[in-house]
Structures are given as C-alpha cells and as structure tokens.
Amino acid sequence: MKISTKAILLAMISFIAFYLFDQYILCNIGFLLTIGGDEYELSYHMPSYTGIALISSLVVTCTYIIVKKIEKLLEEIKKIK
C-alpha cells in the first residue's frame, strides 16, 4: 500500500499541533488542577503528553487513509453498476 504525501504531511502537522496543544495548554491546566507537588515532580508527565500527541496524530492520519480508501471503493462500485 502506497501512502500519499498528503497523508504524511497530515500526520506531521497533526502531531505538531497536538504536541503544542498538550505542551502549552493542557500542561498549564494540569498544573492548576493538581493539588500539591511542584513543577519538577509534575514534569515527569511530559513524555505522557508526547505520547498523547503521537496517538492523536496516528488516529487522524489513519482515519484520513481509511476515508480515502472507502471513497475509492465507492467509486469502483459505482463504475461496476
């Protein structure tokens, strides 16, 4: 299966977007909601934010690829009929 350049760019852009969202917005909200602890102790969660961004970008990219495949199959079905 050949993955298009558009899907690869979508994956990279969505990873960067989710990573920045996690790093700068959710992190600050997490610091406000967490009772006790300091920033050093809470910084151990940064790899978790990176993992969340990676999983989110994979979901977006795989959904894009699946939708394109379904559209291609629907076009082939219409050609057969």
Side-chain angles (χ1 to χ4, degrees):
M1 181 178 96
K2 183 179 176 184
I3 299 176
S4 68
T5 307
K6 192 173 182 180
I8 293 170
L9 286 174
L10 179 67
M12 290 189 301
I13 291 170
S14 61
F15 174 77
I16 291 169
F18 284 119
Y19 181 76
L20 291 175
F21 180 74
D22 285 340
Q23 192 74 16
Y24 294 109
I25 296 173
L26 292 181
C27 181
N28 293 330
I29 293 172
F31 285 139
L32 291 174
L33 296 176
T34 306
I35 299 173
D38 57 354
E39 289 187 17
Y40 177 76
E41 189 176 311
L42 295 175
S43 68
Y44 286 105
H45 296 293
M46 292 305 162
S48 302
Y49 296 142
T50 306
I52 290 169
L54 176 65
I55 290 172
S56 302
S57 65
L58 286 175
V59 167
V60 168
T61 305
C62 291
T63 303
Y64 174 78
I65 292 171
I66 290 170
V67 166
K68 288 296 178 185
K69 292 289 181 182
I70 290 173
E71 287 175 355
K72 186 186 277 186
L73 285 173
L74 288 175
E75 288 176 9
E76 290 179 13
I77 290 172
K78 287 181 182 178
K79 286 180 184 178
I80 292 173
K81 289 183 178 181

